[in-house]
Amino acid sequence: MSAAKATSGNLFAQASVSVLPPLPLAGPYDYLVPQGLVVQPGDFVEIPLGRQAQRGVVWGEAKGDVDPAKLKEIYGLLPAEPLSDVSRKFIDWVAAYTMTPPGAVLRMAMSAPDALDAVKQLFLFTLAGENVDADIRMTPTRQRVLDLLRDNPPMEQGDILRETGVGASVIKGLLEAGLLRRVMVDPPSPFRRPDLDLPAPDLSDDQKQAAGHLCDKVADDGFSVTLLDGVTGSGKTEVYFEAVRDALARGKQVLVLLPEIALSAQWLDRFRSRFGVEPALWHSEVGQARRRDTWRAVADGTASLVVGARSALFLPYRDLGLIVVDEEHEHAFKQEEGVIYHARDMAVARGHLGAFPVILASATPSLETLANVGAGRYDRVELGQRHGLAVMPTVEIVDIRQDRPERQRWITPTLKQRLVETFAAGEQALLFLNRRGYAPLTLCRACGHRFQCPNCTAWLVEHRAWGKLQCHHCGYTAKAPDSCPACGAEEKLAACGPGVERLFEEAVETFPNLKIEVATSDNIAGPKAAAALIDRVHRHEVDLLIGTQILAKGYHFPMLTLVGVVDADLGLSGGDLRAAERSYQLMTQVSGRAGRGDRPGTVILQTADPSNRVIKAIAAGDRDAFNQVELSERLAHGMPPHGRLAALIVSGKKENEVDEAAWRLGRAAPRGENMMVLGPAPAPLSLLRGRYRRRFLVRVDKQVRLQSVIHDWLSRVKTPGSVRIQIDIDPYSFM
Ligand code: ADP
Ligand code: ZN
């Protein structure tokens, strides 16, 4: 059915539809449909907008809010599969939830612009016919080409040249002689169908039961959310692969969301051996041509399995039937810029709109998800044990106030002793410190000057390997100075505190004969570097790994038996809502790297606060107790997952304008029994990339429509165009 409708009364009036361009406008605009053109909702079209031609999507019926005489005509239809009803509903839903214009969300769905261009066809060559004109001069090279094409389907020129070793002029000659013919075809999809009959590993009874449960959800063919809750190394991946297989067998497309896909080489290998094909990868590092091909293949359904980062949610699926969110607790699923959304929550919404199952997998589920399980909205399947002979690691707490490292050193005698034992046994170790660079702060011992970023409220971090100071918020860099810029003193600059580079220095001094490597996002930036590192660890070319949270991800190194958390207190201060939860998750995940093979693992937590409940919970392996306390504290304050939160960030280049706007907003803040507004207050990062920032925090009871409250509030206050108000629903960052 066409959405084009004749406008009021006049039978001969031209039909019109609404079209949404991928721009942050209030909504779709009405356009006339030219005579002879038939458009359907979801069609990609070209439209005039301002003085330019713009691409957009037919969103639905005309809104009728503009005089038809003033409407412009659609230029024409673009050669792409239409965007499905569900995709459009999803875009509208995300826009409403995140309080962003639908066009801004649509832009994420149109992130491969050249996918909308006409498909570039391939020229292939084939024999013109059987009757070879006797007059034609036949040479051995010509004969080779003809022989090849007689035995093969039409081929590209490059392939013919490679196979026969002839030059391009030979093909030209044959064409002119009428012996060859050119045919044009669409390029084949780069994706092959997964092989669903490859042998799966023998699942344990527990795994079988969990897999059976997930497969039932796929068979039920409706919306559901299931938490696949299993300790690190319990085989969650193998288990959800079964559900993936079943969904593919039903002809559905499947999306697996991974938090950090560039680091997932090991996972991808397992995927390849299970399904025999390359999945369609989608993340920010996929090149333009590949993006275009992938986008099209997702739209026409030839890409049946997509593995991606959060943005993969917005691909134009033809028939999506299952989403798996692996490591669902990961904060990397929250997009903090542009459209601010949490991919896990949007995945659930997508499943709801598309009426299909969603699987959330984690060893340390978020409190939000656990609360949903508790309320009966989500199902849960559990895997309580590691697979095979592997057992959970033993956790030891080391009190750094008693067991002191040497001055300007960070490895305690106990940890050092454990490292010695580990290496003596021919095993590998990991030291975890979530701080990139050499030192988080550089200070002048003569005058007290601290090196700060000129654009942000942040210290510059020394990266000694590059000879630079860097801001980790905006990327500003400066050459590491020899003297203090404030007092001019020389050789008085002191590095304060450790980063992984400094820890590396200490480790090299302590263990001069070992192979030690640092792994952070600075040197393990892409999939290639990550895969190479993994190989080196597997081949035991690394004895000791030193790294940040990038090493906490699902890596599986059988010979890695010791994990040392150098500063277990690091994430616990700062007091943001999820500091304890996040620390707990991160330390549990990094601990989960120890002892995954048949040799048992040990984890050492170095802390100055051994009675902290997060530290104690990890040591006791008591996740449920920790979550209980954490949930009841949140309940007492009406915080998520019990209440709902939003943050408003007011920012601009002029501090007084920002303060003025924030003050006005503060005066108009909504009040009520079931809500509370905190602020305005300077954000912890009160200056970021040269913009001054003030924050509000809005808390409402669960049943209150948070978006309406904010909408009403903002509609009552006028702010100048130079001041931006960013809305962050369900904030995870409090900076
Ligand atoms: P998780 O995702 O829960 O941390 P994985 O799925 O990565 O666990 O499994 C941990 C390791 O155990 C992997 O190397 C995996 O291949 C292996 N494994 C899990 N289940 C089985 C099984 N049933 N048969 C063989 N190997 C398994
Ligand atoms: Zn900065």
Side-chain angles (χ1 to χ4, degrees), residues 453-458 460 471-476 687-689:
C453 175
N455 313 316
C456 306
T457 320
L460 293 174
C471 171
H472 284 180
H473 295 284
C474 72
Y476 168 89
L687 180 66
L688 179 65
R689 297 188 190 96

Side-chain angles (χ1 to χ4, degrees), residues 201-204 207 230-240 270 326-327 363 383 387-388 554 556 593 596:
D202 281 331
L203 297 184
S204 68
Q207 291 176 333
V231 296
T232 50
S234 58
K236 293 184 290 296
T237 317
E238 306 295 347
V239 166
Y240 74 64
R270 285 169 70 182
D326 202 349
E327 310 288 1
L383 294 171
H387 173 72
H556 186 73
R593 298 317 110 207
R596 289 170 69 97

